[in-house]
Amino acid sequence: MTSNYLEKAYTPSAWSQRLPPNEVTDVHFKVMTTGSKKVQEKYSTESVLYGPYDSQKLEIVYQPEHNDDAPVIVFIHGGYWVEGCPENHMGIADQFVKHGAIYVAMGYDLAPKVSMPEIVNQCKAAFAFILNKFPKSRGIYITGHSAGGHLTARILEVDWVQQLQLTRNPIRGAVLMSGLYDLQPLLQMSVNNDVHMTEDIAKQESPMTHVDDVGKYCSSVEVVHVVVGEMESPEFKQQSSDYARSCKEVGVNTEYRVVPNVDHFNLIENLMKNDYILTQITQKMMGLNI
C-alpha cells in the first residue's frame, strides 16, 4: 500500500458522508464540548490526578447520591495520541450516570511530549488507580474511541488479578469503538512525525501482538464489543474485524458490529442519545435499569 493510500484510509474525516472533512471535525469538537458543559452543569464532577502532571488526570461524573457499589464506566478518548482531553468527553456520561453509574474520562500525556510506550503505561497506571478508587463497584466497564480504542485493548491484556492481588478480573465488559489494533500501517503516515514509532515499537504496541494475553486474562469478561461505523474506511473496518475475530479465536466472548449510518465522529457523538443502538448496547452490558 502506498503512503498516499494509507494517509487517506486512516484519515477519518475523509470518509464522512454528512459533512466536508474540515467541517465534520469542527462540528465534532462543538458537539462534544457542548455536551460536556451540559453534564458539568447537571451532575457532580471531580478532577483527580493519578500521576505527577496535570494531563494525567481523571474527570469523574456521578450523581450526588449514588450507591457505593455503582458500576463504573471508563472512557479513553482518541485523537491519534497527539490531541484530545478528557474534559471534552464528559457529555457521554449522561446516558449512564442518570441510571446510577459512575463515569470516568481518562486523560494522558500526548505525543510528541511522550512516546507511545509511555502513553500506554500511563493508561494502565490510570486504570489501576481507578480499580483502587472504586473497590466496591459491582462492575468496571472500559470503553475507548479511535486511539482510545487502541489503549483500551492494551488494558485488556493486563493480568489485573496478579498485578493488584485480586480474586477475579475486575473488568466485566468493554466497548472498543473504531480502534487501531495494528499500528504498523501508521509508520508511513504523517501522524508518525509526532508519535515517532519505529517498526519495533509499532509491533510491540499493537494490540494484535497481545491477543493471546487477552485470551488468558479476559476469558471471564462477560462481553467485549468491537464496533466501527458504517461510514468509515475499509481499513478501519478491517482492523476492527480482525481484532474481534482474533479475540474470539482465543476464547474471549467478542461481538463485532458495524453501526449503521454513522461515521467515525458521530459514532461517539450519538452516545449522548438514549435511542442510539450503541448507547443501548452499553447500558445493557452494564446491567443498568433502563
Side-chain angles (χ1 to χ4, degrees):
M1 297 181 185
T2 66
S3 58
N4 287 340
Y5 170 82
L6 290 171
E7 195 74 36
K8 181 180 179 182
Y10 286 100
T11 301
S13 59
W15 298 85
S16 174
Q17 297 183 20
R18 0 172 231 136
L19 294 166
N22 289 341
E23 196 171 336
V24 74
T25 53
D26 289 344
V27 168
H28 179 66
F29 179 79
K30 291 176 183 177
V31 169
M32 299 304 290
T33 53
T34 299
S36 294
K37 289 176 182 177
K38 289 179 179 179
V39 158
Q40 289 172 309
E41 293 169 357
K42 185 175 180 180
Y43 299 108
S44 297
T45 63
E46 180 183 0
S47 294
V48 179
L49 290 178
Y50 66 85
Y53 301 108
D54 288 345
S55 51
Q56 296 171 31
K57 65 181 173 181
L58 308 172
E59 296 292 346
I60 305 173
V61 185
Y62 53 92
Q63 294 189 38
E65 296 181 5
H66 60 273
N67 296 329
D68 287 344
D69 70 342
V72 175
I73 178 169
V74 180
F75 178 84
I76 309 179
H77 69 80
Y80 264 132
W81 310 279
V82 300
E83 60 184 1
C85 63
E87 297 94 327
N88 289 348
H89 292 82
M90 295 168 72
I92 297 169
D94 185 43
Q95 295 300 324
F96 309 103
V97 174
K98 71 180 181 181
H99 295 296
I102 296 170
Y103 176 88
V104 183
M106 183 188 297
Y108 49 92
D109 284 322
L110 302 172
K113 177 183 176 182
V114 296
S115 67
M116 179 67 77
E118 175 59 22
I119 291 172
V120 171
N121 288 336
Q122 284 186 17
C123 289
K124 290 178 179 179
F127 192 69
F129 183 96
I130 292 167
L131 296 180
N132 286 321
K133 184 172 178 62
F134 300 104
K136 297 181 180 179
S137 173
R138 63 179 179 268
I140 307 289
Y141 301 85
I142 184 164
T143 67
H145 173 246
S146 197
H150 158 262
L151 296 168
T152 300
R154 297 303 312 277
I155 286 171
L156 293 179
E157 77 194 32
V158 177
D159 183 359
W160 295 108
V161 172
Q162 190 278 332
Q163 183 163 319
L164 299 181
Q165 299 300 298
L166 304 173
T167 57
R168 64 176 178 84
N169 188 338
I171 301 173
R172 296 284 295 278
V175 184
L176 284 63
M177 297 171 272
S178 295
L180 294 154
Y181 310 105
D182 177 5
L183 303 186
Q184 293 179 86
L186 277 58
L187 292 172
Q188 302 179 55
M189 290 177 50
S190 58
V191 68
N192 201 41
N193 294 335
D194 288 325
V195 181
H196 300 307
M197 289 188 292
T198 63
E199 287 189 20
D200 287 344
I201 289 174
K203 182 177 181 180
Q204 180 60 29
E205 301 302 329
S206 292
M208 289 295 290
T209 302
H210 305 279
V211 167
D212 286 345
D213 288 332
V214 179
K216 288 180 189 176
Y217 307 130
C218 289
S219 59
S220 64
V221 173
E222 293 175 4
V223 63
V224 174
H225 293 282
V226 181
V227 304
V228 66
E230 180 184 10
M231 309 305 177
E232 300 211 52
S233 74
E235 297 301 323
F236 264 96
K237 291 176 183 175
Q238 192 66 53
Q239 287 242 2
S240 289
S241 175
D242 288 348
Y243 185 72
R245 184 183 66 254
S246 296
C247 286
K248 186 169 285 190
E249 288 173 352
V250 295
V252 179
N253 183 24
T254 311
E255 295 188 9
Y256 171 68
R257 179 185 296 264
V258 178
V259 182
N261 303 316
V262 296
D263 55 40
H264 191 80
F265 303 96
N266 59 358
L267 177 71
I268 63 163
E269 293 169 9
N270 290 351
L271 284 169
M272 292 182 263
K273 301 177 180 179
N274 60 15
D275 60 350
Y276 178 45
I277 182 63
L278 195 51
T279 303
Q280 295 168 351
I281 286 171
T282 308
Q283 290 170 335
K284 181 180 179 181
M285 174 186 73
M286 296 176 67
L288 299 179
N289 296 320
I290 310 304

